[in-house]
Amino acid sequence: MSAKSYPAEQHALKTFSKLLDLLPPVDQSKPQILLLAGETTPYRNDTDREMAFRQESNFFYLTGCKVPSSYLLVTFQNGTSLANKPSSQLFIPKAELADLMWSVPPPSLEEATATYDVTRVDHPASLPAAIQELIKAFPGAIVHTLPASPLFPTIPSQYTAPLLAANVNLTEDYLLPAVHLARLTKDAEEIALIRRANEISSRAHEVVMRVLGQGVRGLITRGKGAGTERPLLPGEWLIQKEAEAEALFVASCRREGAEHQAYLPIVAASTRASTLHYCCNDREFAWGPVNPTDHKNCNDLAHDHERALDPQVLLIDAGCEWNCYAADITRTMPVGNGGKFTPEARAIYELVLEMQRLSLEALKPGLHWDAVQLLCHRTLVRGFQRLGIFKKPDSPNSGSWNAEEAILASGVSSAFFPHGVGHSLGLDVHDVPSASKPAKNDTIKGIELGHESFYAYLRLRLPLEEGMVVTVEPGIYFSPHLLAPVRDSKHIDQAVLKRYESVGGVRIEDVVLITKDGHENLTTVRSDTEWVEKVCSGEI
């Protein structure tokens, strides 16, 4: 998709529509002006070494422009021609000789005019005069900026000074909530970008699984001098560490043209999978002694003949961006044990899969996201009662206090599923927080909530709408830190729990689009147990 086809003007109109809804009635007919700064190129501490640049999300939403150090002026007024076609002025840096020598220069004004969906393109030196002109042309205008915060690029005083000198109504109260509300639902162009990010990320997850499977089958062979006389080539790489799995994932995304990961990849093996945002990814897999008759692991997956991979899970929560739009996918895969889950890990995996399946089946416009959260906890409680981790009313020395509703009301399931079932996704992986979880929220009144702890970390608390893109990511974890407060719970059979604690954690996450009648899953890599085991064992 070219930048010109990115619907910046439509995004501006949508933002102004939300902005007018937020303004007091007396201000809705006044001219509205948006002034935004794009992100600047970051540098490593006090050096001149550039770090990866990524455009500020709200600026990109209104411009489609990824040029560093740019600025935007957008003018709108109800009841005029600007109500249908706002004036959008983009200011991009002028290419200097040093830019040509050291890095890729910004586009020329002619190139930018042909590229971006804006009314006019100029250099930042022209921005003060453009502001002065708007002040004269639109007396009484309200100028909106993003909040003065480390979270957003700063607008230099040379550009705000004309506004302050003219005593213009300059406010940061409305723009951020307006643009967040606009971004909450996605248009066709945005959905296409999210779909592409998910396709690339899905293939990267499968690449890791298949390399694990090749290792199990002994299909990864090393040529003469590999690792001694010459470096290992990509086709000779084994995955024996979290970092090696991360490297393959990121390389797969980059090979398909993705510039950035949408967030730091989480690659957690063994019991480290119980840490929700584990992103150090610096440990080896768990290893144990090789028994004389143990042929479940190929020698290619051992550093020597005295160790073999312990049966464990590898949880990878990772997704790339495509043209600033995110993917967010989690897959949990078996490592060791010949690429098969242990009985305990398989039971937890299939319970998480059931939590996700029931959630997906329920999705449709109008359904409150809180109801999906409660459904996941209810499914977990029922599953734990089947497995014996949670007691039943007819368990030995039990009673009605271990009924499903009583366990739900206790909130003990939050020790095993502490996070939200999902969140809005778009230009940011945890998208539009002020709109997804508004400070004042009348939508949760009268909804069956269960225990309040279920919602402590839920990032979306709204009824679903057509065009929303959300993640569905239930999980079950055995974190010693979270389990400590419930060690003496009357609902838990501690002897049974002990058998499952070595699983660490399981999470399964897909990105879905809410459609008119239900949902569409944008994540293409499979997660059914049989397929995952066959791929990770090298059977297919």
Side-chain angles (χ1 to χ4, degrees), residues 250-405:
V250 174
S252 180
C253 294
R254 287 294 285 139
R255 287 188 74 252
E256 294 204 44
E259 295 179 49
H260 300 289
Q261 294 294 298
Y263 51 100
L264 290 175
I266 298 164
V267 185
S270 187
T271 55
R272 294 182 292 279
S274 67
T275 301
L276 302 184
H277 280 183
Y278 175 94
C279 54
C280 41
N281 309 339
D282 60 353
R283 303 291 184 89
E284 290 193 23
F285 293 166
W287 295 81
V290 173
N291 298 317
T293 59
D294 187 355
H295 302 295
K296 293 181 177 178
N297 294 284
C298 176
N299 284 339
D300 286 339
L301 278 175
H303 291 178
D304 50 47
H305 296 287
E306 298 178 355
R307 300 192 302 168
L309 283 169
D310 280 341
Q312 62 201 279
V313 299
L314 174 63
L315 186 155
I316 301 181
D317 183 338
C320 72
E321 284 189 350
W322 187 259
N323 202 25
C324 291
Y325 281 83
D328 187 1
I329 302 170
T330 305
R331 288 295 179 265
T332 305
M333 55 204 75
V335 171
N337 199 37
K340 306 287 186 178
F341 290 113
T342 64
E344 292 78 15
R346 185 184 181 102
I348 298 303
Y349 186 92
E350 292 193 333
L351 178 51
V352 174
L353 205 59
E354 180 185 2
M355 292 163 70
Q356 192 196 48
R357 176 180 59 80
L358 293 175
S359 297
L360 291 171
E361 289 175 356
L363 298 184
K364 61 181 180 180
L367 176 72
H368 203 287
W369 195 240
D370 285 16
V372 185
Q373 181 78 358
L374 181 60
L375 174 62
C376 283
H377 278 274
R378 186 178 296 280
T379 306
L380 184 153
V381 169
R382 290 174 179 171
F384 271 23
Q385 286 184 319
R386 289 196 305 268
L387 296 174
I389 298 173
F390 284 170
K391 298 175 183 178
K392 299 178 182 178
D394 57 359
S395 300
N397 303 313
S398 183
S400 59
W401 58 86
N402 282 321
E404 175 185 314
E405 292 299 332

Side-chain angles (χ1 to χ4, degrees), residues 464-539:
L464 295 174
E465 298 178 46
E466 181 181 358
M468 281 185 174
V469 176
V470 298
T471 64
V472 182
E473 51 177 305
I476 293 175
Y477 312 88
F478 299 93
S479 164
H481 308 292
L482 297 177
L483 293 180
V486 299
R487 288 294 184 190
D488 59 352
S489 171
K490 62 184 178 181
H491 303 300
I492 298 174
D493 187 321
Q494 298 294 339
V496 176
L497 172 61
K498 189 174 181 63
R499 300 206 321 261
Y500 289 88
E501 288 188 52
S502 63
V503 173
V506 172
R507 180 163 66 252
I508 304 169
E509 177 181 20
D510 292 351
V511 174
V512 302
L513 167 68
I514 304 303
T515 62
K516 180 180 179 181
D517 301 313
H519 77 278
E520 178 190 353
N521 195 329
L522 302 181
T523 299
T524 57
V525 61
R526 289 170 60 176
S527 57
D528 52 288
T529 313
E530 182 180 6
W531 183 86
V532 169
E533 287 193 329
K534 284 185 175 181
V535 171
C536 291
S537 65
E539 294 178 25

Side-chain angles (χ1 to χ4, degrees), residues 65-255:
C65 173
K66 293 191 283 187
V67 178
S69 302
S70 297
Y71 297 90
L72 177 68
L73 266 179
V74 191
T75 311
F76 172 97
Q77 186 172 17
N78 235 349
T80 72
S81 60
L82 293 174
N84 298 317
K85 192 173 181 60
S87 169
S88 185
Q89 301 181 67
L90 177 64
F91 300 85
I92 61 172
K94 184 178 181 180
E96 305 292 347
L97 180 60
D99 298 317
L100 299 170
M101 179 174 67
W102 288 106
S103 60
V104 178
S108 67
L109 296 183
E110 293 75 20
E111 291 169 333
T113 299
T115 300
Y116 302 114
D117 185 22
V118 295
T119 310
R120 170 183 174 237
V121 182
D122 210 329
H123 296 309
S126 302
L127 178 54
I131 292 173
Q132 292 278 19
E133 184 178 328
L134 288 179
I135 292 172
K136 293 178 181 177
F138 297 97
I142 303 174
V143 178
H144 302 271
T145 64
L146 294 173
S149 160
L151 299 175
F152 305 105
T154 301
I155 302 174
S157 59
Q158 67 197 80
Y159 303 132
T160 56
L163 299 170
L164 297 174
N167 200 27
V168 170
N169 185 351
L170 180 64
T171 177
E172 59 181 40
D173 295 340
Y174 300 103
L175 177 54
L176 183 63
V179 73
H180 274 191
L181 286 168
R183 288 170 49 194
L184 187 60
T185 55
K186 277 66 180 179
D187 54 40
E189 290 79 7
E190 292 179 287
I191 292 165
L193 296 173
I194 296 170
R195 189 188 304 279
R196 182 70 179 273
N198 273 270
E199 290 169 350
I200 293 171
S201 302
S202 291
R203 286 190 285 270
H205 277 278
E206 186 171 339
V207 164
V208 175
M209 293 185 199
R210 291 198 177 277
V211 172
L212 286 171
Q214 286 184 336
V216 170
R217 291 282 167 172
L219 299 177
I220 298 177
T221 58
R222 293 176 176 176
K224 182 180 178 181
T228 55
E229 300 173 10
R230 62 170 177 81
L232 296 176
L233 301 178
E236 299 169 321
W237 291 350
L238 291 168
I239 301 177
Q240 299 174 324
K241 304 174 184 177
E242 294 162 347
E244 291 168 345
E246 178 186 8
L248 271 178
F249 183 94
V250 174
S252 180
C253 294
R254 287 294 285 139
R255 287 188 74 252

